[in-house]
Amino acid sequence: MLEAADMQIDIPLTRDLVLIGGGHAHALVMRRWGMKPLPGARLTVINPGPTAPYTGMLPGHVAGHYSRDDLDIDLVRLARFCGARLIDGAVDALDADARVMHIEGWGDLKYDVASLDVGITAEMPEIEGFADHGTGAKPLGQYANRWRAFLRAVEVGDTAPEVAVIGGGVAGVELSLAMAHALRNVSKRPVITVLEAADQTTGTGPKARARLMQAMDALGVTLRTGAQVERIAADHVALLDGSRIAAAFTVASAGARPHAWIADTGLPLENGFVRVTETLSVEGYDTLFAVGDCAHLTHAPRPKAGVFAVREAPILHDNLRAVLTGGKMRAFHPQKHYLKLISLGGKSALAERGGLTVSGPLLWRWKDHIDRSFMDKLTDLPAMPAPRLPAVRALGGDTAKPLCAGCGSKIAGDSLAQALTVLPPRARADVLSRPGDDAAILAHGARKQVMTTDHLRAFTADPVTLTRIAAVHALGDIWAMGASPQAALSSVTLPRMSRTLQARTLAEVLRTASEVMHAAGADLVGGHSTMGSETVIGFSLTGLCDGDPIGHDGAQPGDALILTRPIGTGVILAAEMAGQARGTNVQAMLRRMGTPQGDAAAILSGAQAMTDVTGFGLAGHLLAICKSSGVGAQIVLDAVPVYDGALDLSAAGHFSSLHADNLRSAPVTYHDPQDPKFALLHDPQTAGGLLAAVPANQADFLIERLCAAGHVAARIGRFTDDAPRIVCA
Ligand SMILES: Cc1cc2nc3c(=O)[nH]c(=O)nc-3n(C[C@H](O)[C@H](O)[C@H](O)COP(=O)(O)OP(=O)(O)OC[C@H]3O[C@@H](n4cnc5c(N)ncnc54)[C@H](O)[C@@H]3O)c2cc1C
C-alpha cells in the first residue's frame, strides 16, 4: 500500500505571484520559497539579465579584490531552486488596479500578487553629456563592465588615468577609494576627484568622515566641495563656476534616484519612491508590495541601504504567503541604527555604528566574511532531498537520476529503429519519403510537401522560452530539407491549473508560437491543448519545396561538413536541472536555441545533404547521413563549436539521460574516449544546428555568410570514401 507521504496530490495552480527585480530582498525570498514552496502558487521572477550584482562587494571588485563572478547573484540557479520561471526583461509599466504589468520587448503579464524590488538608478540624464560620457554607479553591471574597460585602456596607455566621481556620499567616497587603489596598480599618477555639492562628504558622522578624508589623502583622491556639475565631456567635467575637472571616466553616485517608469504607474509615491505600509504592501493595494531601495517606508523612513532590503526579506516572504493563502500579515520594524562597513581601497575598512568608528585591516576581513557569507547563502543552496529508489522494485529499474527534458528524454535510437520495423510498407504512391528523412515527403501537385512533428518536455519553467525553442526545433526539420515552412498545428500540454491561469498561459504560448511561425513564413492554423502532469509543447508542420527536398543521401567523399550552431545543450540542461550550471551560460544558450535558422538554411540551400542535429547528437545525425550516402566522415574535434560552460560540465561528469544510448547507437573512433569534448559528440541537442555536406571549395564562403548572419557556424570535418562510420581527429 502507498504511504500517505508517497501519494502525489495534484492540486491545480491558481495564483500567479510575480517578483519584479532580482534585488537583494527578492533573492532571499526566492531562497526561502525554494525551501518551502506554496502549492498552487506559480512564481515568476523578472530581471534584466541572469544575475543581480551584490553591491556590498562592488567596491572590492572595482579595487581588484573580487572577480565579477564573486559579486553576481545567479538568479537562474535560484529560480531553478525555487521552481520559478525567470523572465529576462525589464518591467516598464504597471497597472496595479488591473493587475497587469508590461515587460519591455516581451508584452503584458497579468498577476494576482506582485512585489517590486528594482532598486534605484544613479544615472543623471539631465546633465549635458551624461549619456555619452557618464556612467551611473547603478546599474551596477554596466558600471563594472565600463570600469574594467577603462582600466584596461589606462593600462595600455590609450586613455588618461583621470576619474571624477559625482557625489561625496558613502558610496561615492568608497568607489573613489576603490578606483584610486586599482588605478595605482596600472598608472603612476592617477587623478581622482570627488565632486560634492555640499561643503563636506555626507552620510557618516564626523569621526568616520575624518578617517575617510585621511584615506582619500593617502590614495591621492581630491575632494571638491560646493561643486555644481554643468556638463560632462570626454576628457573633463565642467562645473557651473567655470572650472574644469580632468576626467576620462566619470561616475555618478549622487544619491538615490527612482526609476523613471515608476512615476507613470499611478502608485502612491514619495519623491518617486513607492510608499509602503508597515506590511510592505503598497498604500491602497493589498496585493502589491515594494521593498528595498525603490520603496519608501512611510511608517519608518530610512536611508537607502542594502541592510534594509535584506531585513525586509523574511517579512516580505511571510506576507506574500499570507496574502496568497488568506493568512495574516506581519509588520516590518526597521532598526534605527545600522552598521556601516566601508572599504578603504586596499584591504582595509572602516566600521561605523552610532557614534563609534573603528578602522583597519581586521575590519576588512570582517566585512569580507560578512559579504562572502551573504553570497554563499545565495549560491550554496540547501540540497533538496534526493529522490529515493523504492526499496522493492522490478529488476533493472536502478536509476534515481531525474529524467532530462527537451531532446534529452527522447526514446533511444535503437528502440525506435526496432519499433519501426513493425510498420507495413507504404501503400500510397503520393508518399515519397526516403529512409531517414527529417520530414515525410508528399507529392503535392507539381510541388513537394514535407511534413513533420516534434514536441519537447519542459526544460524551463517559462512557457514563452519553451514555446519559442520548441517552434524553432520543429522548424529545423523543414529547414533542413530546404523547404519553406507552410502551416503549423500546436500541441500543448499544461500542468493542472485554474481557468484564469490556463487562459494566461495559453495566450502566452500561442502569441509566441504565432510570432515564430509568422516570421518563418508559416501560419499557425490550429492545434490541440490539454492538461497533464507536466508542460509539453510541440508542433506539427508542413513545408513546401519547388524542387527535390534535401535529404541525407547526397554527401560525396571530399565534401566539407558544416555545423551552424554549438553543441552541448543536453549537458548544460542536465546540469541546470541539478542547479550546477552558470546562469549566464544557460541564458545565453537558451537565447541561441530560440534563434531561427531559416536564413542559415537558405544560405545552405545548395547542400548535397543536410539534417538538423537533435536528440541523437552530432554523431548520431552524422552517422545517419553517412549511412544514407554510403560515405565515411572525419570530425576535427577542435573545430566543433560548443556552448560556453558545456566542456567544464562535461568534464565534471554531467550528461543527459539519452547520452549512453546515443554512444551505443553511433560509435565514433577516437584515441581518447574520456575526453570531455568527445563526450559532447553524443550529447542530445534541442534546437541544434543544421549539419550540411557541401562541396569543399564552397565551404569557406558559406561559413563566412553564415557567420555574417549571426550564426556560430564552423567547418567541422569532411566526408571520406570510407565505409559509413565516423572517425574523430
Ligand atoms: C558602491 C555602493 C556600495 C554600497 N555598499 C553598501 C553596503 O556596504 N551596505 C549596504 O547596506 N548598502 C550598500 N549600498 C546600497 C545598496 O546597494 C542598496 O541599498 C541595495 O542594493 C538595495 O537593494 P535592492 O534590493 O533595493 O535592489 P538592487 O540590489 O538595486 O537590485 C535591483 C534589481 O532589480 C533589477 N531591475 C532594475 N530595474 C528593473 C525593472 N524595470 N524590471 C525588472 N528588474 C529590474 C536590477 O537589474 C537589479 O538586479 C551600496 C551602494 C553602492 C552604489
Side-chain angles (χ1 to χ4, degrees):
M1 209 174 80
L2 277 176
E3 302 271 335
D6 293 334
M7 288 168 43
Q8 287 243 333
I9 303 166
D10 182 21
I11 74 154
L13 295 167
T14 54
R15 291 287 182 275
D16 269 320
L17 166 62
V18 180
L19 302 182
I20 306 170
H24 303 358
H26 280 176
L28 290 166
V29 167
M30 289 167 81
R31 185 179 189 277
R32 282 174 177 258
W33 193 271
M35 289 162 74
K36 197 178 165 199
L38 178 66
R42 177 167 67 174
L43 179 60
T44 297
V45 180
I46 304 165
N47 192 73
T51 57
Y54 170 49
T55 10
M57 291 168 91
L58 175 72
H61 168 66
V62 168
H65 308 314
Y66 301 122
S67 74
R68 185 60 205 279
D69 273 358
D70 288 335
L71 66 144
D72 272 344
I73 300 170
D74 192 327
L75 296 174
V76 175
R77 220 174 257 189
L78 267 175
R80 169 61 69 179
F81 177 70
C82 66
R85 77 153 151 176
L86 181 65
I87 297 178
D88 179 3
V91 170
D92 59 5
L94 184 136
D95 179 344
D97 295 311
R99 294 198 205 161
V100 61
M101 64 192 77
H102 183 267
I103 305 169
E104 199 185 342
W106 192 95
D108 286 347
L109 182 74
K110 292 190 172 152
Y111 68 88
D112 297 293
V113 178
S115 173
L116 278 161
D117 183 17
V118 292
I120 48 117
T121 172
E123 296 188 333
M124 306 177 89
E126 71 281 7
I127 297 183
E128 189 189 329
F130 184 87
D132 294 328
H133 310 296
T135 299
K138 286 199 166 191
L140 286 188
Q142 178 181 290
Y143 165 51
N145 292 341
R146 289 187 186 172
W147 166 249
R148 286 277 140 224
F150 171 73
L151 203 58
R152 262 196 309 276
V154 171
E155 198 168 8
V156 298
D158 277 356
T159 193
E162 295 162 351
V163 173
V165 179
I166 305 175
V170 174
V173 169
E174 195 178 11
L175 286 178
S176 72
L177 292 169
M179 291 190 284
H181 177 82
L183 273 175
R184 285 161 80 100
N185 290 331
V186 295
S187 158
K188 287 205 178 86
R189 292 187 199 290
V191 178
I192 297 107
T193 314
V194 174
L195 304 169
E196 170 55 48
D199 57 4
Q200 57 185 357
T201 61
T202 60
T204 62
K207 274 192 196 148
R209 179 179 303 123
R211 178 67 190 92
L212 287 176
M213 290 302 299
Q214 237 177 31
M216 287 164 77
D217 272 354
L219 287 173
V221 179
T222 312
L223 174 68
R224 176 77 179 253
T225 53
Q228 302 283 348
V229 175
E230 185 193 30
R231 189 167 34 84
I232 303 172
D235 60 354
H236 69 272
V237 177
L239 302 185
L240 270 183
D241 64 7
S243 50
R244 287 175 163 216
I245 309 297
F249 187 71
T250 300
V251 184
S253 182
R257 291 157 169 262
H259 291 290
W261 64 271
I262 292 180
D264 301 324
T265 54
L267 295 175
L269 302 179
E270 182 84 23
N271 296 323
F273 301 102
V274 183
R275 290 172 62 94
V276 297
T277 67
E278 59 179 13
T279 63
L280 304 174
S281 62
V282 177
E283 276 182 354
Y285 296 94
D286 288 344
T287 56
L288 180 65
F289 294 76
V291 284
D293 284 359
C294 69
H296 173 76
L297 299 167
T298 47
H299 66 298
R302 291 289 182 276
K304 305 293 177 202
V307 62
F308 298 113
V310 169
R311 295 283 165 95
E312 284 164 348
I315 313 291
L316 175 67
H317 171 263
D318 291 356
N319 288 354
L320 290 171
R321 285 181 78 93
V323 77
L324 285 162
T325 54
K328 201 166 164 328
M329 294 211 253
R330 295 166 61 197
F332 175 60
H333 300 295
Q335 65 219 79
K336 276 219 174 66
H337 300 289
Y338 65 100
L339 175 72
K340 285 187 195 121
L341 275 168
I342 306 164
S343 51
L344 301 174
K347 291 188 172 180
S348 178
L350 174 152
E352 185 197 50
R353 189 179 170 126
L356 197 69
T357 303
V358 217
S359 63
L362 214 61
L363 273 301
W364 194 88
R365 295 234 290 277
W366 188 35
K367 175 171 165 50
D368 177 62
H369 171 74
I370 294 174
D371 289 339
R372 284 189 191 273
S373 305
F374 178 79
M375 285 304 287
D376 286 350
K377 205 170 167 179
L378 295 170
T379 310
D380 304 333
L381 298 167
M384 301 314 274
R388 270 187 303 141
L389 280 172
V392 182
R393 57 189 180 274
L395 296 172
D398 290 340
T399 178
K401 191 174 179 246
L403 177 67
C404 284
C407 270
S409 53
K410 256 174 108 153
I411 304 277
D414 39 12
S415 307
L416 182 65
Q418 206 179 334
L420 288 176
T421 59
V422 305
L423 293 183
R426 278 191 295 270
R428 295 185 58 105
D430 54 1
V431 177
L432 311 174
S433 305
R434 302 155 303 194
D437 274 333
D438 288 317
I441 307 173
L442 310 176
H444 193 73
R447 300 168 100 185
K448 304 227 166 58
Q449 189 180 42
V450 295
M451 191 169 96
T452 185
T453 188
D454 252 315
H455 61 245
L456 300 177
R457 181 168 179 257
F459 46 81
T460 162
D462 180 22
V464 170
T465 303
L466 181 65
T467 304
R468 181 172 298 283
I469 292 173
V472 168
H473 178 82
L475 282 160
D477 287 335
I478 304 286
W479 289 323
M481 298 199 75
S484 310
Q486 181 193 20
L489 296 169
S490 62
S491 159
V492 181
T493 306
L494 299 179
R496 193 171 171 200
M497 53 180 74
S498 67
R499 292 236 306 274
T500 307
L501 266 70
Q502 287 171 25
R504 285 177 190 165
T505 316
L506 263 183
E508 286 178 9
V509 168
L510 295 183
R511 185 180 72 200
T512 310
S514 132
E515 244 172 60
V516 179
M517 292 304 167
H518 184 73
D523 275 344
L524 182 65
V525 290
H528 174 75
S529 54
T530 182
M531 281 191 278
S533 57
E534 58 184 12
T535 306
V536 179
I537 293 184
F539 295 93
S540 299
L541 280 160
T542 60
L544 292 171
C545 281
D546 287 329
D548 276 337
I550 303 173
H552 289 181
D553 54 358
Q556 303 290 322
D559 279 353
L561 193 51
I562 289 182
L563 179 66
T564 62
R565 190 164 270 193
I567 58 171
T569 65
V571 93
I572 294 182
L573 291 177
E576 193 277 327
M577 210 163 75
Q580 299 297 315
R582 279 188 67 197
T584 15
N585 292 337
V586 175
Q587 224 169 58
M589 181 189 74
L590 293 177
R591 210 170 300 126
R592 166 98 22 219
M593 288 164 77
T595 305
Q597 300 196 86
D599 56 346
I603 293 169
L604 294 170
S605 58
Q608 323 255 45
M610 186 147 70
T611 188
D612 57 334
V613 179
T614 56
F616 302 138
L618 176 57
H621 291 281
L622 176 57
L623 191 60
I625 293 185
C626 290
K627 284 181 176 167
S628 297
S629 303
V631 294
Q634 191 181 61
I635 295 181
V636 179
L637 196 56
D638 280 350
V640 178
V642 299
Y643 281 109
D644 284 349
L647 213 51
D648 287 346
L649 293 169
S650 173
H654 293 280
F655 55 87
S656 173
S657 310
L658 195 58
H659 184 265
D661 291 317
N662 285 351
L663 191 65
R664 207 181 47 246
S665 306
V668 176
T669 309
Y670 187 53
H671 71 274
D672 180 9
Q674 304 309 320
D675 183 335
K677 184 158 184 187
F678 176 69
L680 294 179
L681 297 184
H682 295 99
D683 186 53
Q685 301 305 291
T686 304
L690 296 170
L691 181 67
V694 302
N697 61 359
Q698 295 177 16
D700 290 346
F701 171 67
L702 292 171
I703 287 170
E704 212 172 285
R705 286 185 63 199
L706 287 164
C707 293
H711 298 280
V712 185
R715 179 182 192 150
I716 62 161
R718 64 189 184 94
F719 288 95
T720 65
D721 56 7
D722 202 357
R725 66 188 190 106
I726 305 170
V727 175
C728 193

